[in-house]
Coordinates of all heavy atoms in Angstrom, one line a residue:
S1 N 98.3 151.6 142.5 CA 98.7 150.4 143.1 C 100.3 150.5 143.3 O 101.0 151.1 142.5 CB 98.2 149.2 142.4 OG 99.2 148.4 141.8
D2 N 100.7 149.9 144.3 CA 102.2 149.9 144.7 C 102.9 148.9 143.8 O 102.4 147.8 143.4 CB 102.4 149.6 146.1 CG 101.6 150.5 147.1 OD1 101.2 151.6 146.6 OD2 101.4 150.1 148.2
V3 N 104.2 149.2 143.5 CA 105.1 148.3 142.8 C 106.3 148.1 143.6 O 106.9 149.0 144.2 CB 105.4 149.0 141.4 CG1 106.4 148.1 140.7 CG2 104.2 149.3 140.6
Y4 N 106.8 146.9 143.7 CA 108.0 146.5 144.4 C 109.1 146.0 143.5 O 108.8 145.3 142.5 CB 107.7 145.4 145.4 CG 107.0 145.8 146.7 CD1 105.6 145.9 146.7 CD2 107.7 146.2 147.8 CE1 104.9 146.3 147.8 CE2 107.0 146.6 149.0 CZ 105.6 146.6 149.0 OH 105.0 147.0 150.1
Y5 N 110.3 146.4 143.8 CA 111.5 145.9 143.1 C 112.4 145.4 144.2 O 112.4 145.8 145.3 CB 112.2 147.0 142.3 CG 111.3 147.5 141.2 CD1 110.5 148.6 141.4 CD2 111.4 146.9 139.9 CE1 109.7 149.1 140.4 CE2 110.6 147.4 138.9 CZ 109.7 148.5 139.1 OH 108.9 149.0 138.1
Q6 N 113.3 144.4 143.8 CA 114.2 143.9 144.8 C 115.6 144.0 144.2 O 115.8 144.0 143.0 CB 113.9 142.5 145.2 CG 114.1 141.5 144.2 CD 113.8 140.1 144.7 OE1 113.0 139.9 145.6 NE2 114.4 139.1 144.2
F7 N 116.6 144.1 145.1 CA 118.0 144.0 144.7 C 118.8 143.4 145.8 O 118.4 143.5 147.0 CB 118.6 145.4 144.3 CG 118.7 146.4 145.4 CD1 120.0 146.6 146.1 CD2 117.7 147.1 145.9 CE1 120.1 147.5 147.1 CE2 117.8 148.0 146.9 CZ 119.0 148.2 147.5
V8 N 120.0 142.9 145.5 CA 120.9 142.4 146.5 C 122.0 143.4 146.5 O 122.6 143.7 145.5 CB 121.5 141.0 146.0 CG1 122.5 140.5 147.0 CG2 120.3 140.0 146.0
S9 N 122.2 143.9 147.7 CA 123.3 144.9 147.9 C 124.7 144.3 147.8 O 124.9 143.3 148.3 CB 123.1 145.5 149.3 OG 124.1 146.5 149.5
N10 N 125.5 145.1 147.1 CA 126.9 144.7 147.0 C 127.8 145.7 147.7 O 129.0 145.6 147.6 CB 127.3 144.5 145.5 CG 127.2 145.7 144.7 OD1 126.8 146.8 145.2 ND2 127.4 145.6 143.4
S11 N 127.2 146.6 148.5 CA 127.9 147.6 149.2 C 127.1 148.0 150.4 O 125.9 147.6 150.6 CB 128.1 148.8 148.3 OG 128.7 149.9 148.9
T12 N 127.7 148.8 151.3 CA 127.0 149.4 152.4 C 126.1 150.6 152.1 O 125.4 151.1 152.9 CB 127.9 149.7 153.6 OG1 128.9 150.7 153.1 CG2 128.7 148.5 154.1
T13 N 126.3 151.1 150.8 CA 125.5 152.2 150.4 C 124.9 151.9 149.0 O 125.3 151.1 148.3 CB 126.4 153.5 150.2 OG1 127.3 153.3 149.2 CG2 127.0 153.9 151.5
A14 N 123.8 152.6 148.7 CA 123.1 152.5 147.4 C 122.5 153.8 147.1 O 122.0 154.6 147.9 CB 122.0 151.4 147.5
S15 N 122.5 154.1 145.8 CA 121.8 155.3 145.3 C 120.5 154.9 144.6 O 120.5 154.0 143.8 CB 122.7 156.0 144.3 OG 122.1 157.1 143.7
I16 N 119.4 155.5 145.1 CA 118.1 155.2 144.6 C 117.6 156.4 143.9 O 117.5 157.5 144.5 CB 117.1 154.8 145.7 CG1 117.6 153.5 146.4 CG2 115.7 154.6 145.2 CD1 116.9 153.2 147.7
T17 N 117.3 156.3 142.6 CA 116.8 157.4 141.8 C 115.6 156.9 141.0 O 115.7 155.9 140.3 CB 117.8 157.9 140.8 OG1 119.0 158.3 141.6 CG2 117.3 159.1 140.0
V18 N 114.5 157.6 141.1 CA 113.2 157.3 140.3 C 112.8 158.5 139.6 O 112.5 159.5 140.2 CB 112.1 156.8 141.3 CG1 110.9 156.4 140.4 CG2 112.6 155.5 142.0
N19 N 112.8 158.4 138.2 CA 112.3 159.5 137.4 C 110.8 159.3 137.2 O 110.4 158.3 136.6 CB 113.0 159.5 136.0 CG 114.5 159.8 136.2 OD1 114.9 160.7 136.8 ND2 115.3 158.9 135.6
L20 N 110.0 160.2 137.6 CA 108.5 160.1 137.6 C 107.9 160.8 136.4 O 108.4 161.8 136.0 CB 108.0 160.7 138.9 CG 108.5 160.1 140.2 CD1 108.3 161.0 141.4 CD2 107.9 158.8 140.4
S21 N 106.8 160.2 135.9 CA 106.1 160.9 134.9 C 105.3 162.1 135.4 O 105.2 162.2 136.7 CB 105.1 159.9 134.2 OG 104.0 159.6 135.0
A22 N 104.8 162.9 134.6 CA 104.0 164.1 135.0 C 102.8 163.7 135.8 O 102.2 164.6 136.5 CB 103.7 165.0 133.8
G23 N 102.3 162.5 135.7 CA 101.0 162.1 136.3 C 101.1 161.5 137.7 O 100.1 161.0 138.2
I24 N 102.3 161.3 138.2 CA 102.5 160.6 139.5 C 103.3 161.4 140.5 O 104.4 161.9 140.1 CB 103.0 159.2 139.3 CG1 103.1 158.4 140.6 CG2 104.4 159.2 138.6 CD1 103.4 156.9 140.4
D25 N 102.8 161.5 141.7 CA 103.6 162.1 142.8 C 104.1 161.0 143.6 O 103.5 160.5 144.5 CB 102.7 163.0 143.6 CG 103.4 163.6 144.8 OD1 104.6 163.5 144.9 OD2 102.7 164.2 145.7
G26 N 105.3 160.5 143.3 CA 105.8 159.3 143.8 C 106.4 159.4 145.2 O 106.9 160.5 145.7
V27 N 106.2 158.4 146.0 CA 106.9 158.1 147.3 C 107.6 156.8 147.2 O 107.0 155.8 146.8 CB 105.8 158.1 148.4 CG1 106.5 157.8 149.8 CG2 105.0 159.4 148.5
I28 N 108.9 156.8 147.6 CA 109.7 155.7 147.4 C 110.1 155.2 148.8 O 110.5 155.9 149.7 CB 111.0 156.0 146.6 CG1 110.7 156.9 145.4 CG2 111.8 154.7 146.3 CD1 109.7 156.3 144.4
G29 N 109.9 153.9 149.0 CA 110.3 153.3 150.3 C 111.4 152.2 150.1 O 111.4 151.5 149.1
L30 N 112.3 152.1 151.1 CA 113.3 151.0 151.1 C 113.0 150.1 152.3 O 112.9 150.6 153.4 CB 114.7 151.6 151.1 CG 115.8 150.6 151.2 CD1 115.9 149.8 150.0 CD2 117.1 151.3 151.5
Y31 N 112.9 148.8 152.0 CA 112.6 147.9 153.1 C 113.6 146.7 153.1 O 114.1 146.3 152.1 CB 111.2 147.2 152.8 CG 110.1 148.2 152.7 CD1 109.8 149.0 151.6 CD2 109.3 148.4 153.9 CE1 108.8 149.9 151.6 CE2 108.3 149.4 153.9 CZ 108.0 150.1 152.7 OH 107.0 151.0 152.7
P32 N 113.9 146.2 154.3 CA 114.9 145.1 154.4 C 114.2 143.8 154.2 O 114.8 142.8 154.0 CB 115.4 145.2 155.9 CG 114.3 145.9 156.6 CD 113.6 146.8 155.6
S33 N 112.8 143.7 154.2 CA 112.1 142.5 153.8 C 110.7 143.0 153.4 O 110.3 144.1 153.6 CB 112.0 141.6 155.0 OG 111.1 142.1 156.0
C34 N 109.9 142.1 152.8 CA 108.6 142.4 152.3 C 107.6 142.8 153.4 O 106.7 143.5 153.1 CB 108.0 141.2 151.5 SG 108.8 141.0 149.9
E35 N 107.8 142.3 154.6 CA 106.9 142.5 155.7 C 107.4 143.4 156.8 O 107.0 143.3 157.9 CB 106.4 141.2 156.2 CG 105.8 140.3 155.2 CD 105.5 138.9 155.7 OE1 105.8 138.6 156.8 OE2 105.0 138.1 154.9
S36 N 108.3 144.3 156.5 CA 109.0 145.1 157.5 C 108.6 146.6 157.4 O 108.0 147.0 156.5 CB 110.5 144.9 157.5 OG 110.9 145.4 156.2
V37 N 109.1 147.3 158.4 CA 108.9 148.8 158.4 C 110.0 149.4 157.5 O 111.1 148.9 157.4 CB 109.0 149.3 159.8 CG1 109.0 150.8 159.9 CG2 108.0 148.7 160.7
S38 N 109.6 150.5 156.8 CA 110.5 151.1 155.9 C 111.8 151.6 156.6 O 111.7 152.2 157.6 CB 109.8 152.3 155.2 OG 110.7 153.0 154.4
M39 N 112.9 151.4 155.9 CA 114.2 151.9 156.4 C 114.4 153.3 156.0 O 115.1 154.1 156.6 CB 115.4 151.1 155.8 CG 115.4 149.7 156.2 SD 116.7 148.8 155.2 CE 118.2 149.8 155.5
E40 N 113.8 153.7 154.9 CA 114.0 155.0 154.3 C 112.7 155.3 153.5 O 112.1 154.5 152.8 CB 115.2 154.9 153.3 CG 115.7 156.2 152.8 CD 116.5 157.0 153.8 OE1 117.2 156.3 154.6 OE2 116.6 158.2 153.7
C41 N 112.3 156.6 153.6 CA 111.2 157.1 152.8 C 111.7 158.3 152.0 O 112.2 159.2 152.6 CB 110.0 157.5 153.8 SG 108.6 158.1 152.9
I42 N 111.5 158.2 150.7 CA 112.0 159.3 149.9 C 110.7 160.0 149.3 O 110.0 159.4 148.5 CB 112.9 158.7 148.7 CG1 114.0 157.9 149.3 CG2 113.4 159.9 147.9 CD1 114.7 157.1 148.3
D43 N 110.5 161.2 149.7 CA 109.4 162.0 149.2 C 109.9 163.5 149.2 O 109.3 164.3 150.0 CB 108.2 161.8 150.0 CG 106.9 162.5 149.3 OD1 107.0 162.8 148.1 OD2 105.9 162.7 150.0
D44 N 110.8 163.8 148.4 CA 111.4 165.2 148.4 C 110.7 166.1 147.3 O 110.8 167.3 147.4 CB 112.9 165.2 148.1 CG 113.6 164.4 149.2 OD1 113.2 164.5 150.4 OD2 114.6 163.8 148.9
V45 N 110.0 165.5 146.3 CA 109.3 166.2 145.3 C 107.8 166.1 145.7 O 107.3 165.0 145.7 CB 109.6 165.6 143.9 CG1 108.8 166.4 142.8 CG2 111.1 165.7 143.6
F46 N 107.2 167.2 145.9 CA 105.8 167.2 146.4 C 104.8 167.5 145.4 O 103.6 167.7 145.7 CB 105.7 168.2 147.6 CG 106.6 167.9 148.7 CD1 107.6 168.8 149.0 CD2 106.5 166.8 149.4 CE1 108.5 168.6 150.0 CE2 107.4 166.5 150.5 CZ 108.4 167.4 150.8
T47 N 105.1 167.4 144.1 CA 104.2 167.5 143.0 C 104.4 166.4 142.0 O 105.5 165.8 142.0 CB 104.3 168.9 142.3 OG1 105.7 169.0 141.8 CG2 104.1 170.0 143.2
P48 N 103.5 166.1 141.2 CA 103.7 165.1 140.1 C 104.9 165.4 139.2 O 105.1 166.5 138.9 CB 102.4 165.1 139.4 CG 101.3 165.5 140.3 CD 102.1 166.6 141.1
G49 N 105.5 164.3 138.8 CA 106.7 164.5 138.0 C 107.9 164.7 138.8 O 107.9 164.7 140.0
G50 N 109.1 164.8 138.1 CA 110.3 165.1 138.8 C 111.1 163.9 139.1 O 110.8 162.8 138.6
I51 N 112.1 164.0 140.0 CA 113.0 162.9 140.3 C 113.1 162.8 141.8 O 113.4 163.8 142.5 CB 114.4 163.2 139.7 CG1 114.4 163.2 138.2 CG2 115.4 162.1 140.2 CD1 115.7 163.7 137.5
E52 N 112.8 161.6 142.3 CA 113.1 161.3 143.7 C 114.4 160.6 143.8 O 114.6 159.6 143.1 CB 112.0 160.4 144.3 CG 110.6 161.0 144.3 CD 110.4 162.1 145.4 OE1 111.4 162.3 146.2 OE2 109.3 162.6 145.5
S53 N 115.3 161.0 144.6 CA 116.6 160.5 144.7 C 117.2 160.6 146.1 O 117.0 161.6 146.8 CB 117.5 161.2 143.7 OG 118.8 160.6 143.7
R54 N 117.9 159.5 146.5 CA 118.6 159.5 147.8 C 119.7 158.5 147.8 O 119.6 157.4 147.2 CB 117.6 159.2 148.9 CG 118.2 159.1 150.2 CD 117.7 160.1 151.3 NE 116.6 161.0 151.0 CZ 115.5 161.0 151.7 NH1 115.2 160.1 152.6 NH2 114.6 161.9 151.4
T55 N 120.8 158.8 148.5 CA 121.8 157.8 148.8 C 121.6 157.3 150.2 O 121.4 158.0 151.1 CB 123.2 158.4 148.7 OG1 123.5 158.8 147.3 CG2 124.3 157.3 149.0
V56 N 121.4 156.0 150.3 CA 121.1 155.3 151.6 C 122.4 154.6 152.1 O 123.2 154.1 151.3 CB 119.9 154.4 151.5 CG1 118.7 155.2 151.2 CG2 120.1 153.3 150.5
N57 N 122.5 154.6 153.4 CA 123.7 154.0 154.0 C 123.2 152.9 155.0 O 122.0 152.8 155.3 CB 124.5 155.1 154.8 CG 125.0 156.2 154.0 OD1 125.8 155.9 153.0 ND2 124.6 157.4 154.2
G58 N 124.1 152.1 155.5 CA 123.8 151.1 156.5 C 123.3 149.8 155.9 O 122.8 149.0 156.7
L59 N 123.5 149.6 154.6 CA 123.1 148.3 154.0 C 124.1 147.2 154.3 O 125.3 147.5 154.6 CB 122.9 148.5 152.5 CG 122.0 149.6 152.0 CD1 122.0 149.6 150.5 CD2 120.6 149.4 152.6
I60 N 123.7 146.0 154.3 CA 124.5 144.9 154.5 C 124.8 144.2 153.2 O 123.8 143.7 152.6 CB 123.9 143.9 155.5 CG1 123.7 144.6 156.9 CG2 124.8 142.6 155.7 CD1 122.9 143.8 157.9
P61 N 126.0 144.1 152.7 CA 126.3 143.5 151.5 C 125.8 142.0 151.5 O 126.0 141.3 152.5 CB 127.8 143.5 151.4 CG 128.2 144.8 152.1 CD 127.2 144.8 153.3
G62 N 125.2 141.6 150.4 CA 124.7 140.2 150.3 C 123.2 140.1 150.7 O 122.5 139.1 150.4
N63 N 122.7 141.1 151.4 CA 121.3 141.1 151.8 C 120.4 141.6 150.7 O 120.8 142.5 149.9 CB 121.0 142.0 153.0 CG 121.4 141.3 154.3 OD1 122.1 140.2 154.3 ND2 121.1 141.9 155.4
T64 N 119.2 141.1 150.6 CA 118.2 141.5 149.7 C 117.3 142.7 150.3 O 116.9 142.6 151.4 CB 117.2 140.4 149.3 OG1 118.0 139.3 148.7 CG2 116.2 140.8 148.3
Y65 N 117.1 143.7 149.5 CA 116.3 144.9 149.9 C 115.2 145.1 148.9 O 115.3 144.7 147.7 CB 117.2 146.1 150.0 CG 118.2 146.0 151.1 CD1 119.5 145.5 150.9 CD2 117.9 146.4 152.4 CE1 120.4 145.4 151.9 CE2 118.8 146.2 153.5 CZ 120.0 145.7 153.2 OH 120.9 145.6 154.2
Y66 N 114.2 145.7 149.3 CA 113.0 145.9 148.4 C 112.7 147.4 148.3 O 112.8 148.2 149.3 CB 111.8 145.2 149.0 CG 112.0 143.8 149.1 CD1 112.7 143.2 150.2 CD2 111.6 142.9 148.1 CE1 112.9 141.8 150.3 CE2 111.9 141.6 148.1 CZ 112.5 141.0 149.3 OH 112.8 139.7 149.3
I67 N 112.5 147.9 147.1 CA 112.1 149.3 146.9 C 110.6 149.3 146.5 O 110.2 148.6 145.5 CB 113.0 149.9 145.7 CG1 114.4 149.9 146.2 CG2 112.5 151.3 145.4 CD1 115.4 150.3 145.1
K68 N 109.9 150.1 147.2 CA 108.4 150.2 146.9 C 108.2 151.6 146.3 O 108.6 152.6 146.8 CB 107.6 150.1 148.2 CG 106.1 150.3 148.0 CD 105.5 150.1 149.4 CE 104.2 150.8 149.6 NZ 103.7 150.6 150.9
V69 N 107.5 151.6 145.1 CA 107.1 152.9 144.4 C 105.6 153.0 144.5 O 104.9 152.1 144.1 CB 107.6 152.9 143.0 CG1 107.2 154.2 142.3 CG2 109.1 152.7 142.8
Q70 N 105.1 154.1 145.1 CA 103.7 154.3 145.2 C 103.4 155.8 144.9 O 104.2 156.6 144.9 CB 103.2 154.0 146.6 CG 103.7 154.9 147.7 CD 103.3 154.4 149.1 OE1 103.8 153.3 149.5 NE2 102.6 155.2 149.8
D71 N 102.1 156.1 144.6 CA 101.7 157.4 144.4 C 101.1 158.0 145.7 O 100.4 157.4 146.4 CB 100.6 157.4 143.3 CG 100.1 158.8 143.0 OD1 101.0 159.6 142.6 OD2 98.9 159.1 143.1
F72 N 101.5 159.2 146.0 CA 101.1 159.9 147.2 C 99.7 160.4 147.1 O 99.0 160.6 148.1 CB 102.1 161.0 147.5 CG 101.7 161.8 148.8 CD1 102.0 161.3 150.0 CD2 101.0 163.0 148.7 CE1 101.6 161.9 151.2 CE2 100.7 163.7 149.8 CZ 101.0 163.2 151.1
G73 N 99.3 160.8 145.9 CA 98.0 161.4 145.7 C 96.8 160.6 146.1 O 96.8 159.4 146.2
S74 N 95.7 161.3 146.5 CA 94.5 160.7 146.9 C 93.7 160.2 145.7 O 92.8 159.4 145.9 CB 93.7 161.6 147.8 OG 93.4 162.8 147.1
S75 N 93.9 160.8 144.6 CA 93.1 160.3 143.4 C 94.0 159.4 142.5 O 95.2 159.4 142.7 CB 92.7 161.5 142.6 OG 93.8 162.3 142.1
R76 N 93.4 158.8 141.6 CA 94.1 157.8 140.7 C 95.1 158.6 139.8 O 94.7 159.6 139.3 CB 93.1 157.1 139.9 CG 93.7 156.1 139.0 CD 92.6 155.4 138.2 NE 93.1 154.3 137.4 CZ 92.9 153.0 137.7 NH1 92.1 152.7 138.6 NH2 93.5 152.1 137.0
P77 N 96.3 158.2 139.7 CA 97.3 158.9 138.9 C 96.8 159.0 137.4 O 96.2 158.0 137.0 CB 98.6 158.1 139.0 CG 98.4 157.3 140.2 CD 96.9 157.1 140.4
T78 N 97.2 160.0 136.7 CA 96.8 160.1 135.3 C 97.7 159.3 134.5 O 97.4 158.9 133.4 CB 96.9 161.6 134.8 OG1 98.2 162.1 135.1 CG2 95.9 162.4 135.6
S79 N 98.9 158.9 135.0 CA 99.8 158.0 134.3 C 100.7 157.3 135.4 O 100.8 157.8 136.5 CB 100.7 158.7 133.3 OG 101.6 159.5 133.9
Y80 N 101.2 156.2 135.1 CA 102.0 155.4 136.0 C 103.5 155.4 135.7 O 104.2 154.6 136.2 CB 101.5 154.0 136.2 CG 100.1 153.9 136.8 CD1 99.0 153.9 136.0 CD2 100.0 153.9 138.2 CE1 97.7 153.9 136.6 CE2 98.8 153.9 138.8 CZ 97.6 153.8 138.0 OH 96.4 153.8 138.6
G81 N 103.9 156.1 134.7 CA 105.2 156.0 134.2 C 106.3 156.5 135.2 O 106.2 157.5 135.8
F82 N 107.4 155.6 135.3 CA 108.6 156.0 136.0 C 109.7 155.1 135.6 O 109.5 154.0 135.0 CB 108.3 155.9 137.5 CG 107.9 154.6 138.0 CD1 108.9 153.6 138.4 CD2 106.6 154.3 138.2 CE1 108.5 152.4 138.9 CE2 106.2 153.1 138.7 CZ 107.1 152.1 139.0
N83 N 110.9 155.5 135.8 CA 112.1 154.7 135.5 C 112.9 154.7 136.8 O 113.0 155.6 137.5 CB 113.0 155.4 134.5 CG 112.3 155.4 133.1 OD1 111.6 154.5 132.7 ND2 112.4 156.5 132.4

């Protein structure tokens, strides 16, 4: 299942880093609202585990953004751990 986090930008850039457990092949999305199209999709690690990371630009200070963490795999992840 997908997990959402939100933050209020205090800059025009943000660094997004998610450390994944060995059981999840994570895909990270950045959204300007809960019901919008992704501004950024981060899927640079194509196997379970590892770190998905990206610096994003074009943010508006004071706006709320949403980060969605999901598993890319077609089967249920063996674990859901990430930071």
Side-chain angles (χ1 to χ4, degrees):
S1 115
D2 303 340
V3 178
Y4 285 86
Y5 296 91
Q6 70 179 27
F7 70 97
V8 176
S9 179
N10 60 5
S11 176
T12 58
T13 62
S15 178
I16 299 170
T17 302
V18 179
N19 295 311
L20 303 161
S21 72
I24 186 171
D25 178 10
V27 178
I28 316 305
L30 176 66
Y31 298 83
S33 73
C34 286
E35 300 174 0
S36 64
V37 175
S38 175
M39 297 172 53
E40 191 79 29
C41 179
I42 306 167
D43 188 18
D44 298 329
V45 178
F46 302 114
T47 59
I51 299 172
E52 295 285 2
S53 182
R54 175 118 9 117
T55 298
V56 295
N57 300 299
L59 303 180
I60 299 171
N63 280 11
T64 299
Y65 294 91
Y66 299 85
I67 297 172
K68 176 178 153 181
V69 180
Q70 68 186 63
D71 183 56
F72 180 78
S74 59
S75 62
R76 184 181 187 111
T78 57
S79 70
Y80 291 95
F82 59 87
N83 296 319

